Amino acid sequence: MRRLMLLRHAKTETESPSGQDHDRRLDDRGHRDAAEIGGWIGRHPPFPDRVLVSPAVRAHQTWDVAWEAMKGLVPPPEVEFLPELYGADPTELLHTIRMASVGDPKRLMLVGHNPGMHELALTLIGSGDAAAKKALDHNLPTSGLAIFDFPTHDWTDVAFRRGKLVQFVSPKLLKQTSDD
């Protein structure tokens, strides 16, 4: 079994001081949401063995804040910043996932961007939680986390429509369930 966790970066400023999209930083809500989703991950094993992060400032900050909230609860994963995650489409993201077979983590997390991450999540779904699929259909929001299981022992076997959507969470959904 292989587990894939897709985490979209947290909420950001509209424009960066440099004017470059790549340099956009988290805003106050983004910091809070990344910490909230990181804390949730830290309380809900299994945890990622390896994390692949887009080098964009907002993705890097999302991982740093989420990791700070997990630290002490989760064994440290191997982390790598991959330029190819920035602006990647679902096919490119799937290729990156399949390349994980080199290090063979059991649980892999990607921290990246829409629209590619949302489109990838939708195309991976073959089965799973119907309510989670319905919630994910509309969007993979900032700080949204989609968790998939694949019945394989090799990342090269991961394919579109073969994933089981185990769970979809976001800070907004967490707030709704805590208010009930």
Side-chain angles (χ1 to χ4, degrees):
M1 181 73 63
R2 293 291 179 260
R3 173 158 285 192
L4 176 66
M5 304 169 82
L6 301 176
L7 176 60
R8 183 177 172 202
H9 67 77
K11 186 82 173 154
T12 65
E13 60 192 359
T14 307
E15 288 188 32
S16 71
S18 73
Q20 300 296 310
D21 179 69
H22 192 275
D23 296 334
R24 287 173 42 214
R25 302 169 300 196
L26 298 186
D27 63 14
D28 290 342
R29 184 180 127 202
H31 280 274
R32 287 190 308 272
D33 288 353
E36 184 172 4
I37 206 73
W40 184 91
I41 293 166
R43 294 185 306 274
H44 294 85
F47 311 117
D49 301 317
R50 186 157 190 230
V51 181
L52 304 177
V53 184
S54 162
V57 171
R58 60 192 177 271
H60 192 257
Q61 287 181 321
T62 297
W63 170 249
D64 288 347
V65 172
W67 172 245
E68 194 59 39
M70 287 180 238
K71 210 184 288 184
L73 302 171
V74 178
E78 177 185 329
V79 179
E80 185 176 356
F81 296 90
L82 294 179
E84 57 267 28
L85 292 180
Y86 182 75
D89 67 29
T91 302
E92 294 164 327
L93 291 168
L94 181 61
H95 176 73
T96 299
I97 292 163
R98 288 177 173 167
M99 293 303 294
S101 65
V102 174
D104 198 30
K106 303 274 188 282
R107 296 167 303 276
L108 177 67
M109 176 185 278
L110 267 60
V111 182
H113 313 270
N114 277 357
M117 293 280 280
H118 181 234
E119 292 168 357
L120 175 65
L122 294 177
T123 58
L124 289 175
I125 299 171
S127 65
D129 184 320
K133 183 186 180 309
K134 184 176 180 185
L136 184 58
D137 272 343
H138 176 67
N139 188 24
L140 178 59
T142 53
S143 298
L145 176 69
I147 302 171
F148 294 89
D149 282 342
F150 293 87
T152 182
H153 295 290
D154 192 333
W155 287 104
T156 60
D157 294 334
V158 170
F160 296 144
R161 308 277 179 246
R162 299 265 172 89
K164 177 182 178 185
L165 179 61
V166 176
Q167 196 160 15
F168 167 60
V169 295
S170 69
K172 182 179 180 180
L173 291 173
L174 293 173
K175 284 179 184 72
Q176 290 172 353
T177 57
S178 68
D179 292 340
D180 293 343

